[in-house]
Amino acid sequence: MFLRFFENLRSADVPVSMREFLAFLEGMKRGLVTYDVEGFYYLARTAMVKDERHLDKFDRAFAATFEGLEHISFDDVLNAVDIPADWLEKMAEKHLSAEEMAEIEALGGFDKLMETLKERLKEQEKRHQGGSKWIGTAGTSPFGAYGYNPEGVRIGQDRSRHKRAVKVWDRRDFRNLDDSVELGTRNIKVALKRLRNWARDGAHEELDLDGTIRATAEHGYLDVKTRPERRNAVKILLFLDVGGSMDPHIKIVEELFSAARAEFKHMEYYYFHNCLYEGVWKDNARRWNHQIPTWEVLRTYGPDYKCIFVGDASMSPYEIAYRGGANEHWNEETGETWLRRAREQWPDNLWINPLPQEHWQYTHSIAMIREIFEDRMVPMTLEGITRGMKALT
């Protein structure tokens, strides 16, 4: 019954032996789990995975073997679900083929785009849908929502779809990352341990066994010695990109954030959106009215801190290279200027990117960030984090 599962594990390069597979079958035979999918998963994983590096491969093989698909007709869905009106409105959204997208040309640069938007706001008198010029919906105009244009200003749309917007007109609220997440953080903690630098400081809190034996032998009576507890002395400054194109990566970034909070005693963190500018924040709920000047952060933390940026680096190139190119506000200095200041202040720096590395070549802004960081960018995989920790040491 489970031979296909065993074959999928071997195909996924999980080094499971026949003895381990038989132990798993013995557990099933003895009824250790019955009608409990979660218990079945943990029994299989415990019996057949002996190295935490193979947990992800095991999960993929498990899903490929046991994940079932339900076939539900469209008529069943319509009969069972009362579709909200706003869903039906978005059905008017225009889906273009790759060839059609390629035929749509950008307006010709950031300055021209903003100038044209100003003219449209003055001239437009009514709502438009499906057009190519006015501010509207479901069209090819560079201004509006739920359409497509290779270079535009998004107005009135709840989230990014094509990741092409140069600016976002609407105010967006992001949520803070959860640093109490535990699921999946174990392997990340193992990778982060490479950055440890042990030091003894603070109060005398632990028994110094060697010192006690030596002092007792010298004095002829029990002479208990204590010493400061060893602590990880590495100082970490974490900059976390939130919102927009980072939404699909929230879970893995939360796992990294939680693991880092557990591993490093001296760790400070700040949020930013897309690129570093003149302000950062600690609480996403207050990011509009309680920003911390980036200059203040640069002056507060010394060059002994190791600086790590976490973000997909996927944005309009204007956000990095132009004054005023920031996605949600007018920036007096370019994002590149602020990133270079950060690298100068903290020479031990790194950029961790949650996007798969094979996709980096298709986004121009990623190439720009890699150039600014002198190729000190690693993917958010266990191998990538391990490589990044080695680079920081």
Side-chain angles (χ1 to χ4, degrees), residues 180-387:
S180 65
V181 174
E182 287 298 332
L183 181 64
T185 60
R186 182 182 176 190
N187 290 345
I188 299 177
K189 289 180 181 180
V190 172
L192 293 176
K193 285 178 180 178
R194 291 184 176 273
L195 200 56
R196 283 181 172 177
N197 179 19
W198 293 110
R200 296 189 184 276
D201 55 6
H204 289 187
E205 296 178 352
E206 70 176 18
L207 174 66
D208 182 356
L209 183 59
D210 292 338
T212 299
I213 294 173
R214 184 166 51 253
T216 300
E218 290 175 354
H219 300 149
Y221 56 86
L222 180 61
D223 189 358
V224 177
K225 298 293 182 181
T226 60
R227 62 186 178 185
E229 182 182 358
R230 287 204 315 168
R231 301 180 184 275
N232 190 358
V234 171
K235 299 177 181 179
I236 298 294
L237 187 59
L238 202 59
F239 289 95
L240 300 158
D241 184 8
V242 291
S245 60
M246 283 296 293
D247 286 347
H249 309 296
I250 286 177
K251 184 177 184 297
I252 184 63
V253 175
E254 282 185 335
E255 291 174 0
L256 174 68
F257 183 49
S258 180
R261 287 292 292 267
E263 284 299 315
F264 302 112
K265 177 186 177 183
H266 305 287
M267 192 192 86
E268 297 292 338
Y269 68 92
Y270 294 92
Y271 295 111
F272 69 99
H273 181 53
N274 283 358
C275 194
L276 185 66
Y277 297 111
E278 65 277 3
V280 292
W281 54 94
K282 300 280 286 187
D283 185 352
N284 279 305
R286 304 177 65 191
R287 73 185 182 107
W288 295 108
N289 52 22
H290 192 69
Q291 286 198 6
I292 301 165
T294 306
W295 272 122
E296 181 179 321
V297 179
L298 289 166
R299 297 188 184 105
T300 300
Y301 303 102
D304 55 330
Y305 274 80
K306 298 184 185 295
C307 177
I308 301 175
F309 283 82
V310 180
D312 61 1
S314 300
M315 66 197 88
S316 165
Y318 299 130
E319 298 184 54
I320 303 172
Y322 273 65
R323 289 179 61 250
N327 192 274
E328 297 178 308
H329 75 289
W330 181 271
N331 54 302
E332 292 296 337
E333 295 182 288
T334 67
E336 179 179 359
T337 300
W338 287 105
L339 289 175
R340 292 194 183 279
R341 284 173 181 159
R343 293 202 67 220
E344 291 172 4
Q345 173 65 11
W346 303 293
D348 293 332
N349 51 72
L350 180 72
W351 188 292
I352 300 178
N353 194 329
L355 280 179
Q357 189 166 357
E358 58 268 22
H359 297 164
W360 292 359
Q361 59 183 315
Y362 303 114
T363 304
H364 183 50
S365 59
I366 294 180
M368 296 173 69
I369 296 292
R370 291 182 71 181
E371 182 179 352
I372 294 171
F373 275 74
E374 298 177 355
D375 211 27
R376 294 173 68 90
M377 180 183 287
V378 297
M380 195 179 290
T381 61
L382 293 179
E383 184 277 332
I385 294 174
T386 300
R387 178 156 42 95

Side-chain angles (χ1 to χ4, degrees), residues 6 15-25 44 47-50:
F6 180 69
V16 54
S17 67
M18 183 59 70
R19 175 174 294 185
E20 292 164 348
F21 181 60
L22 291 175
F24 160 71
L25 293 179
M48 293 186 283
V49 179
K50 301 303 181 186

Side-chain angles (χ1 to χ4, degrees), residues 127-138:
R127 180 183 183 275
H128 287 267
Q129 178 168 335
S132 60
K133 176 182 177 181
W134 300 109
I135 303 169
T137 59

